[in-house]
Amino acid sequence: MFQSFLIKYAEIGVKGKNRYLFEDALVQQIKYALKKCDGEFLIRKTQGRIFVDAQSEFDFDEVVKRLQRVFGISGICPVVQLQDEGFEKLCQDVIGYIDEVYPDKEKTFKVAARRARKNYPLESMEINAKVGEAVLRAYPQMRVDVHQPEILINIEVREEIYLYSEIIPGPGGMPVGTGGKAMLLLSGGIDSPVAGYMIARRGVKIDAVYFHAPPYTSERAKQKVVDLAKIVSRYTGPIYLHVINFTDIQMYIYEKCPHEELTIIMRRYMMRIAQQIACETECLGLVTGESIGQVASQTMQSLMATNDVCEIPVYRPLIALDKQDIVEISEKIGTFETSILPYEDCCTIFVAKHPVTKPSLNVIRRHEENLAENIEQLVQAALETKELIIVTE
Ligand code: ATP
Ligand code: MG
């Protein structure tokens, strides 16, 4: 029975003069989300409302599932559009609607009309009262409850009349693209895909960088990262994934620096390289999946040592989350199953048995000087040989 959805958005409704930018971005993201759905859809913006109209047959559940991935949507309302054929007909339509959507009539309800078209002969309050009466006559089992109705029947009178009562929750947040762009350090783990999802939910578009170490890390490990980016791109739109060959840098650090500091020094080079790509691609910050205390390289001291090389902001949306919280989000967004596949990560290959947990910044900086001879050249080579994969769903 439903051919349309009314899209509700919360936060973006309050952006004043820039409101249309947010709405346009939301329309774009909805178009992207529905591109892979069977059927034709018209997405239109009218008077502060966004509607998705199906122009053909479509799979209701599939459309809802995809709309639930569009940041900026707070609610998805399946709506019936009626022509204005007089008030009597409207009452009949509401009665028919209730019958179809609520087979069980032992329910409380309330009618909430909004008269956006001021030449409609009845005022909102009159519509509420009269439609309410008609419903009670048709279904004596139903009861009015104006405070906490089980069914809230919304009637919006515009050129056409819109009727809806169900609000399916959306993901919230802001439309991707309204908040600039950031560079996500994406590994094959559980955390970084979740970090990317969370930052994108605030409207930030993301590019990503992955460091691999062939032949120590396999093609399958890289494919796993591409697969994770693909899942994240369901929410964020296309992701430009930069793949950096990190092997020579890693080997060189291994050769020249104390092994218990290897991870920290490696992470400093990851940050430096990511930052360089970020600056070349108009990214306004870096994003990582770090969380305080999770591993040796994520103690406050280690984070300080890693952060030391960054000149642009580093966003760490998981910083205060427990692993269990992160796992729950990754299950919800669909990355968990892929993240736990057992392929090797470049960080784990040369890892010392007892990495430093409280590195001293001065000591790390001094040991990094051991790399002076070749490191710049190696970083340059890594940047020059980077591979770009454009990941879409
Ligand atoms: P994740 O689950 O995201 O892999 P982790 O718990 O394994 O995180 P670390 O390996 O210490 O933690 O990495 C911390 C963060 O550094 C990651 O969340 C990610 O943002 C970044 N990172 C680590 N390894 C890589 C890599 N090979 N390529 C790109 N980024 C990486
Ligand atoms: Mg990892």
Side-chain angles (χ1 to χ4, degrees):
M1 85 189 278
F2 296 109
Q3 277 301 112
S4 288
F5 298 89
L6 165 63
I7 303 299
K8 298 223 175 209
Y9 43 90
E11 254 177 280
I12 69 171
V14 299
K15 296 292 173 187
K17 275 198 313 226
N18 290 328
R19 178 170 167 150
Y20 76 98
L21 291 175
F22 287 78
E23 290 172 339
D24 290 351
L26 185 55
V27 167
Q28 282 313 313
Q29 293 303 120
I30 292 173
K31 283 187 179 159
Y32 177 79
L34 296 182
K35 217 159 63 183
K36 289 261 167 72
C37 270
D38 286 334
E40 291 285 309
F41 302 92
L42 176 71
I43 292 118
R44 64 193 168 88
K45 210 174 90 169
T46 48
Q47 305 159 41
R49 291 280 161 132
I50 293 174
F51 287 95
V52 174
D53 296 331
Q55 313 280 79
S56 62
E57 292 278 298
F58 71 103
D59 178 340
F60 182 90
D61 294 339
E62 168 84 1
V63 167
V64 169
K65 188 178 86 188
R66 284 174 183 267
L67 290 174
Q68 281 185 307
R69 294 180 190 150
V70 179
F71 298 136
I73 295 182
S74 66
I76 303 155
C77 310
V79 51
V80 175
Q81 288 187 39
L82 306 167
Q83 297 306 317
D84 180 8
E85 296 169 304
F87 188 70
E88 269 314 301
K89 177 72 167 54
L90 175 61
C91 292
Q92 282 168 23
D93 284 335
V94 173
I95 289 166
Y97 171 92
I98 292 175
D99 204 26
E100 248 188 82
V101 182
Y102 304 100
D104 173 13
K105 305 287 183 301
E106 297 286 338
K107 291 224 163 19
T108 59
F109 78 101
K110 172 185 173 179
V111 180
R114 259 187 63 192
R115 190 177 63 152
R117 170 156 61 85
K118 294 297 172 203
N119 69 2
Y120 193 76
L122 281 79
E123 285 181 18
S124 307
M125 294 303 278
E126 290 177 287
I127 302 175
N128 290 345
K130 294 197 163 152
V131 172
E133 281 167 26
V135 171
L136 286 172
R137 268 199 304 278
Y139 307 119
Q141 324 84 299
M142 292 184 76
R143 287 277 166 273
V144 173
D145 181 344
V146 292
H147 301 294
Q148 280 188 311
E150 289 165 285
I151 308 173
L152 181 64
I153 299 167
N154 292 282
I155 301 174
E156 284 195 21
V157 180
R158 299 168 178 270
E159 279 320 302
E160 293 168 317
I161 297 173
Y162 298 97
L163 179 59
Y164 65 93
S165 59
E166 299 279 281
I167 303 181
I168 303 162
M174 318 266 256
V176 170
T178 55
K181 189 166 70 165
M183 180 64 70
L184 170 67
L185 282 88
L186 181 61
S187 69
I190 294 171
D191 305 325
S192 43
V194 172
Y197 168 90
M198 286 180 69
I199 213 87
R201 185 162 178 262
R202 294 308 302 164
V204 177
K205 186 163 172 48
I206 53 175
D207 284 351
V209 54
Y210 166 59
F211 297 89
H212 71 154
Y216 303 101
T217 63
S218 65
E219 198 56 28
R220 280 192 316 182
K222 175 173 142 191
Q223 187 56 44
K224 175 181 164 183
V225 173
V226 173
D227 292 343
L228 285 170
K230 236 177 225 181
I231 299 170
V232 176
S233 79
R234 291 176 189 161
Y235 305 91
T236 63
I239 295 177
Y240 282 50
L241 174 65
H242 303 270
V243 179
I244 293 276
N245 185 331
F246 205 49
T247 312
D248 292 344
I249 295 173
Q250 222 169 340
M251 301 286 272
Y252 191 55
I253 301 171
Y254 190 70
E255 187 189 320
K256 298 281 185 189
C257 301
H259 291 179
E260 62 275 14
E261 289 167 10
L262 177 71
T263 308
I264 296 290
I265 296 178
M266 238 172 56
R267 310 245 334 107
R268 284 163 62 95
Y269 277 95
M270 283 187 186
M271 293 306 231
R272 287 183 173 109
I273 291 172
Q275 176 166 264
Q276 188 143 345
I277 307 172
C279 292
E280 286 163 12
T281 53
E282 290 170 1
C283 288
L284 301 172
L286 302 179
V287 182
T288 74
E290 290 160 314
S291 160
I292 293 177
Q294 204 189 74
V295 287
S297 59
Q298 295 175 30
T299 60
M300 294 275 277
Q301 292 84 351
S302 297
L303 287 165
M304 184 169 159
T306 309
N307 201 69
D308 175 54
V309 301
C310 299
E311 283 155 35
I312 62 176
V314 182
Y315 296 101
R316 300 178 173 92
L318 313 184
I319 199 69
L321 297 190
D322 289 353
K323 194 72 185 185
Q324 191 49 39
D325 304 333
I326 302 169
V327 164
E328 274 166 30
I329 302 172
S330 85
E331 284 174 334
K332 189 185 81 184
I333 68 176
T335 50
F336 184 72
E337 292 298 317
T338 307
S339 287
I340 58 173
L341 294 173
Y343 308 132
E344 64 294 319
D345 179 47
C346 78
C347 294
T348 54
I349 288 168
F350 304 95
V351 166
K353 280 208 185 62
H354 301 289
V356 282
T357 54
K358 294 185 178 140
S360 140
L361 195 50
N362 288 332
V363 174
I364 296 281
R365 282 180 180 163
R366 197 165 63 239
H367 288 157
E368 243 180 38
E369 284 167 19
N370 300 351
L371 304 169
E373 197 182 330
N374 281 337
I375 194 73
E376 275 192 15
Q377 197 186 324
L378 292 175
V379 167
Q380 210 44 46
L383 283 166
E384 278 163 17
T385 56
K386 89 177 154 64
E387 180 192 0
L388 174 63
I389 304 173
I390 298 173
V391 181
T392 57
E393 202 196 326

